[in-house]
Structure formats: structure tokens, C-alpha cells
Amino acid sequence: MEKVEREQAAAILERISTDDWREFWDSSDATDLKDEDDIAWQTLAHASQSRHFAPGRPVQAVLDLLGDRLLTDRKAGPPIRRMVLEAMAATQWAKLAVRYREMDGTSAPRLHGNMVQHGAGSLVMSRYWRQGGKWARIFCELTGLPLCLAETCRNVLPEDEEVVSVEPLPPLHDFQIDVYTKLLELLANGNGSAGLLSLPTGAGKTRVAVEALVDHLAMTGGRRNIVVWIAQSEELQRQAWDCFREVWQTPPQRQDGAKIPRRGVLNLIRAWGSRHANDIEFPSGPTVLLAGIQQLGSWLKSAGEFFDEFDYSRLCAVIVDEAHRIIAPEHRDVLVKLKVRAEREWRPLRTSAPIIGLTATPWRTIANEDVPLRTFFQQRLLTPKSLDRAPIAALQQRGILAKVIPEKLYSPDSPPMSRAQQENFGRFHELPNDYLATLGRSPQRNGRILSRLLRLPSGSSTLVFACSIEHASIMTLALNRAHNEIVAALVTGKTPRSERLDTLESFRAGTLRFLCNVGVLTTGFDAPKVDVVCLTRPTSSALLYEQMVGRGLRGPKNGGTQSCLVLDVQDAGLPDSIMSYARVAKEWET
């Protein structure tokens, strides 16, 4: 919701009576909202912030917590819609009732003639809602609420795209050329080849892989011209889409002066975001299918004919981003169906197209996953020799990665784990979610974190990794109230696509200073100017820790920052295996 839209919504919500707000705020529909609001205020108190609140009329709290979900939240949406209706002027309410009666014949409950504005009529109309539908738009128009609250999605995903070439991109770095050359050789080897391409987070592994694939397609020009690129998240999928477009449109000038021409068009096909399998058609020219693993998995179960009708003789290569996830059953089933993995063994088929994994952390999984990962990729690790044994330090020295300024933020009075939680940690070697939720509800701990965040320079761009969705929401509320303006936003896996894209763009543009999440932005999210990463979520996973820190590692030569401050919350009493920057930095260089 933009600032103007928020002000428009606030003006309408302010018409609701104090008694109605108090009744709603004390109801079960608002229990979760009220709890988060209370902890946010306690957090502010522990951070020595004054309290600005109009008792009984929590308009700003509701807007902070719900945002674009103001009218659609499963619990709070219906009562808020009812209160808005009951606060309307009688003439406008009557107009809305007339428009509602026009909905007869739909699934809308009937509105009987004797229903009055402040009675059952408002209750009936508030219960009916179809996001993006005719009634939702009418409701917002006549109540005066912003139309964005009625929309389904303001950012429509592209379907397919034809890309033509233009100006050259800057050349690859020498260490990238090293890996690019190895990848071209693997692609040329043909059937049965596999390898794991590894560069540190922020060092451009997507760009290297895309350039090698595009150059291979441009040089061979044969029938084997379909690439399947599989990624876990929408952020990774969009990142790859943009990279393919750029590299085909703007072929980079090589350092030796050579240039591989692009002839004709490159066809990009989207297979994520609930795309239907029967909508997909493959042109005869070079084509890249950019696929979400969830989408492919659902097609495997409900639309198997997509795989049955796929022309495997045209398959040039299969790429799996975040390749350490390949061990998951969903990946296994899809790779078997794509005929690049044996059904009962961890090995590529001898007749399969080359399969390439991308990762920043090679051979870095738990022990029972490491062996099949190495076996599947044939022990072939595509890394640059030029970076030697200390790639992170070498790239930081060259300005390609940002230098890390680690800072421990001690929390001496964090809540201890219960005996059951300690036993759970002993079995699974990771902090249980109920304990992470407890940490996120601690006003004292949150107050220390907030105090440090409030001392950051006004021009900083901060990514906050929270303990839970509730904790991310609490920190977002506290940051906004401490500044008396919207400086922070929350992104979760359940954030509607339109709101999520708008929020990420606002953060990249600097309109938002803080972006709070739990784990949805650990991979694929690209905001080059992030110069502070705040890790409030303790973990014993070096991989997860690296992924979180990696969001701030883009250096000045790659459009990022000279340095990145890593605020590392360290809780007293937790096991020694909980990660810190010092521990992970040692592992980075092994």
C-alpha cells in the first residue's frame, strides 16, 4: 500500500467509533494482532521510546499489521468490512445495498428488504468477498477505501518473451571466465555429464551459468536447444529470467576482443506462478524453460502429459539452482521424469543431457546428504583456481564482495530453553520453532535489538532476519513507531505477490530502510545496496547463516557496497554449536 493509499484508508477507518474499535480489539478476531501490538509497544519501552497511541482506536496498528490484507485477512477482514459499512453515511450505504442486490444469482447471500444500515444488512454484505471481483471493487469505490485493497495482483508476471540483441555487457571477471570455460567444456561433453558450479554468494554464479548456456546455444545452433532451469523461489526465477534477457540482448565483449553473435531470438518460457501446463508451447528456436520446482512437481502429479509430450531429443541441459536441495524427493521425482537421473540410484543417466547444479556452498550438507550429492555431480566441482583456497577474502580484497564488519549484540537475559526443547535440540541439532517463537516475544531482547537498529545511519539499508513471522511483524511495528513514519516493511511466504513485489522494489529504491523477514529472502533476493544484515535468529546451520549474511555481500565492483555491518545477536545460555560470524568465517575458507 502506497503512502497516499494508506492515508486514504486511515481516513475511512477513523470514521469507525471508538466503541466499535474497542469491541473489535478485544475480540478473538484481533487476538493475534493485539498480542503483536502489545509486544511492539513493550519493545519500544525497553528501547526507551515514548508511546504515541490513541487508546481504543488502533487504526495505525491495524494498517501496520495488515497492509494490503486489510479487507482479506481470514480473521480480521470480515469484522473490519462490517465496521466500515456501519460507519458509512446512510445515502452511500443505500447505494451500496442497491449494487449488492445486483449480485443476485452469484454466491452472494441475499439481502432482504427490511435490513437496515446498522443491522443485519451490514453483516450480510461484509461476509461476501471475492478478491479481485466486481463486488470488491464496488465496495472500495463506495466506501472510499483505496482500490488496491480490492485488486488481486498489480504486478502481472510475463508469460513468454522473445529477446533480441543490442549493446555488449561488461566482460566477466577473470575468475568467472575460469568457471565459464569449465562449464562450456562440460556442455560440449554431451550426454551423461554433470557438475556443480560453485562461486561465493554475490560473485555472479547466475551470470556465469547463463553466459555459458547462451554462448553454447549460439555456437552450436543445433536441434538440442532447450534449457530447463529449475529454481526454488520466485526471486531466483525472476533473477534468472532477467539475466537471460540481458545476456542475449547485450552479448558481453570478451577480454580478448572476441564476441559470440546472437542470431534470431531466444524464447523464454515461464513455468512458475501457477502457470497451466497446457499453456506451454515450445518454438523451434533456442528456448529456456524457467521453472519452479513446486510447479513442475504439481504438473507431475496432475498434468503428467506435459512430461510425456516433452521432446527430450531437444534437451540441451538441466540447471538446478540452490543445488544442495536436489536431495529432496520433489527434485528427485522431477529429475527422473526429465530423464536426467536414474530412478533408483543417485547418478545421471548415460543418455541424459548435461545436468549442472549451482551453489555457493559445495559439499556443505548434513552427512547423509553429502555422499549422494557428490555422487550425482560426479565429484566434479566447477570452481576458479585463481581464487586459491581463500575465495571470500580474495574477492573482498578485489572489491567484488563487500568487507564484513561483524558486531556481536549480546542478550544476557534471553529466555532459556525448556528441558523438552533442549532434548529436541539434542536430537535434531537445530533450535525448535517454539523456542524461536519465545525468543521473538521477549520485549527485553527485542528492545536491545531495536536500540541498536535505531542508532544506524539514516542512509543505511538493513535486512532483518527474525525468529518467527510474529517476531518479524513485531520488529516492523516497533521500527515504524519509533520513527513515527513507515521506514520498515515485512515480507513472508504468505505475503500476496503484488504486495511482496512492491515492498521489495521500495526497499531497493531506498524508500524503505528496513526489510524484515524470517527466511524467505535467504536466497535469490538481490538488493545490491544492503549494507546492514541483522541476524536475530540463532541457528546451528552454517549453510543458513551463510545464506543470511550473503544478502549483504555484494561489493562495489558488482554494484554493491564497500562494507556490510553484520549485527549478530548472541543469546546467553545457548549451545556452543550456535553459529557466529567468527565460526562461519573459518568454515568459509576451508
Side-chain angles (χ1 to χ4, degrees):
M1 200 185 303
E2 302 289 342
K3 182 178 180 182
V4 174
E5 294 168 333
R6 181 187 171 100
E7 291 172 351
Q8 183 182 349
I12 300 303
L13 296 182
E14 289 290 354
R15 297 175 185 173
I16 298 170
S17 70
T18 299
D19 288 342
D20 282 348
W21 271 125
R22 186 176 292 118
E23 181 181 349
F24 165 73
W25 205 237
D26 291 336
S27 72
S28 60
D29 294 321
T31 300
D32 294 341
L33 303 179
K34 187 176 182 181
D35 288 348
E36 292 176 13
D37 184 64
D38 286 345
I39 297 173
W41 285 119
Q42 293 174 48
T43 295
L44 283 170
H46 282 280
S48 302
Q49 297 296 310
S50 59
R51 179 170 173 145
H52 303 284
F53 185 62
R57 193 184 289 270
V59 171
Q60 297 304 322
V62 166
L63 288 170
D64 283 342
L65 288 161
L66 296 178
D68 284 0
R69 295 180 294 111
L70 180 70
L71 303 179
T72 59
D73 185 77
R74 185 176 60 84
K75 293 177 66 176
I80 289 175
R81 297 197 298 264
R82 177 182 57 78
M83 291 193 296
V84 168
L85 290 173
E86 292 177 347
M88 287 179 73
T91 54
Q92 289 299 101
W93 191 94
K95 290 180 182 178
L96 190 64
V98 170
R99 300 295 298 276
Y100 183 83
R101 286 190 175 94
E102 294 173 359
M103 305 294 292
D104 282 350
T106 70
S107 58
R110 294 196 64 184
L111 189 64
H112 299 290
N114 293 329
M115 290 179 165
V116 295
Q117 177 179 353
H118 295 292
S122 294
L123 182 61
V124 170
M125 288 193 289
S126 68
R127 286 176 175 170
Y128 178 64
W129 191 266
R130 295 291 184 274
Q131 190 70 8
K134 179 180 177 181
W135 170 246
R137 293 191 297 274
I138 293 170
F139 184 97
C140 288
E141 286 171 2
L142 291 181
T143 59
L145 288 167
L147 283 176
C148 68
L149 297 177
E151 294 175 355
T152 307
C153 179
R154 287 180 284 174
N155 292 280
V156 179
L157 290 169
E159 290 294 334
D160 306 333
E161 185 173 351
E162 292 186 345
V163 185
V164 295
S165 60
V166 280
E167 295 297 320
L169 285 169
L172 294 174
H173 299 294
D174 56 347
F175 70 91
Q176 292 174 321
I177 291 174
D178 189 351
V179 180
Y180 160 90
T181 303
K182 293 176 180 177
L183 185 50
L184 272 185
E185 290 173 357
L186 187 150
L187 291 168
N189 286 339
N191 292 348
S193 300
L196 192 63
L197 188 160
S198 180
L199 286 172
T201 298
K205 59 182 177 294
T206 300
R207 163 90 187 270
V208 172
V210 167
E211 285 214 20
L213 287 163
V214 166
D215 285 352
H216 179 74
L217 290 171
M219 288 186 295
T220 56
R223 175 172 169 75
R224 297 187 66 167
N225 59 5
I226 293 179
V227 172
V228 176
W229 184 291
I230 303 173
Q232 182 77 14
S233 67
E234 187 168 314
E235 282 75 26
L236 286 170
Q237 292 146 10
R238 283 179 170 272
Q239 183 185 71
W241 182 288
D242 291 340
C243 194
F244 272 105
R245 183 198 293 115
E246 279 188 343
V247 170
W248 189 269
Q249 287 179 324
T250 59
Q253 189 74 35
R254 301 294 178 210
Q255 291 179 338
D256 59 3
K259 184 177 179 180
I260 299 173
R262 313 286 190 244
R263 296 182 178 89
V265 298
L266 175 68
N267 302 283
L268 301 182
I269 298 179
R270 175 177 64 79
W272 82 87
S274 301
R275 181 116 187 241
H276 294 294
N278 55 12
D279 289 342
I280 304 254
E281 293 183 5
F282 288 92
S284 59
T287 301
V288 180
L289 177 74
L290 294 120
I293 187 62
Q294 294 87 355
Q295 187 72 76
L296 292 177
S298 70
W299 289 355
L300 191 59
K301 296 171 184 174
S302 62
E305 62 272 12
F306 170 81
F307 293 95
D308 295 336
E309 296 173 4
F310 186 82
D311 187 352
Y312 294 97
S313 67
R314 290 184 58 195
L315 189 58
C316 166
V318 174
I319 314 299
V320 181
D321 205 349
E322 296 296 319
H324 52 273
R325 299 177 185 268
I326 206 171
I327 309 298
E330 196 167 44
H331 276 82
R332 178 196 62 209
D333 295 342
V334 167
L335 295 177
V336 168
K337 200 67 178 177
L338 284 172
K339 301 182 181 180
V340 294
R341 181 199 182 275
E343 192 165 353
R344 291 186 173 85
E345 295 180 79
W346 274 106
R347 62 174 177 83
L349 293 175
R350 293 176 184 173
T351 57
S352 73
I355 180 164
I356 298 133
L358 307 183
T359 183
T361 51
W363 319 146
R364 296 288 298 284
T365 63
I366 59 178
N368 64 341
E369 294 179 348
D370 188 68
V371 172
L373 193 68
R374 288 174 180 265
T375 302
F376 185 69
F377 287 110
Q378 303 172 343
Q379 302 282 355
R380 185 180 287 133
L381 193 59
L382 310 178
T383 56
K385 290 182 179 179
S386 57
L387 297 182
D388 200 26
R389 294 178 176 270
I392 301 289
L395 293 175
Q396 287 174 329
Q397 190 68 32
R398 295 169 60 171
I400 292 164
L401 297 184
K403 293 183 178 179
V404 173
I405 304 173
E407 179 183 324
K408 290 184 179 179
L409 188 58
Y410 288 101
S411 179
D413 50 6
S414 294
M417 281 196 286
S418 66
R419 183 180 295 275
Q421 289 167 341
Q422 291 174 0
E423 292 173 355
N424 183 294
F425 180 83
R427 285 197 303 272
F428 300 106
H429 308 291
E430 188 57 279
L431 295 174
N433 288 334
D434 57 348
Y435 177 67
L436 291 174
T438 300
L439 284 181
R441 295 190 192 106
S442 169
Q444 295 89 346
R445 183 180 189 268
N446 291 342
R448 286 191 177 85
I449 297 168
L450 181 62
S451 294
R452 182 63 186 93
L453 293 177
L454 294 177
R455 295 198 305 272
L456 293 172
S458 59
S460 60
S461 184
T462 304
L463 197 55
V464 178
F465 287 96
C467 296
S468 64
I469 292 176
E470 180 189 52
H471 184 219
S473 181
I474 289 166
M475 294 307 298
T476 302
L477 282 175
L479 285 163
N480 287 335
R481 288 172 182 173
H483 288 88
N484 255 339
E485 60 177 321
I486 305 301
V487 297
L490 165 69
V491 172
T492 74
K494 294 183 179 180
T495 304
R497 182 180 291 119
S498 60
E499 181 182 347
R500 180 165 164 172
L501 294 175
D502 287 345
T503 299
L504 296 183
E505 286 307 311
S506 295
F507 181 69
R508 291 187 182 102
T511 308
L512 293 170
R513 287 180 52 196
F514 302 91
L515 190 57
C516 302
N517 82 115
V518 180
V520 73
L521 302 180
T522 52
T523 60
F525 172 62
D526 188 24
K529 298 300 182 183
V530 169
D531 55 3
V532 182
V533 176
C534 181
L535 308 177
T536 79
R537 176 188 181 182
T539 179
S540 57
S541 167
L543 176 60
L544 176 59
Y545 192 101
E546 290 174 36
Q547 289 174 330
M548 291 189 289
V549 172
R551 298 309 98 200
L553 282 185
R554 179 79 74 87
K557 287 190 178 178
N558 274 0
T561 57
Q562 186 69 41
S563 62
C564 178
L565 174 64
V566 175
L567 296 175
D568 193 352
V569 179
Q570 297 285 295
D571 298 279
L574 291 188
D576 293 339
S577 59
I578 296 301
M579 288 292 145
S580 65
Y581 181 77
R583 285 194 63 187
V584 172
K586 289 180 181 178
E587 293 200 23
W588 270 348
E589 304 302 355
T590 37

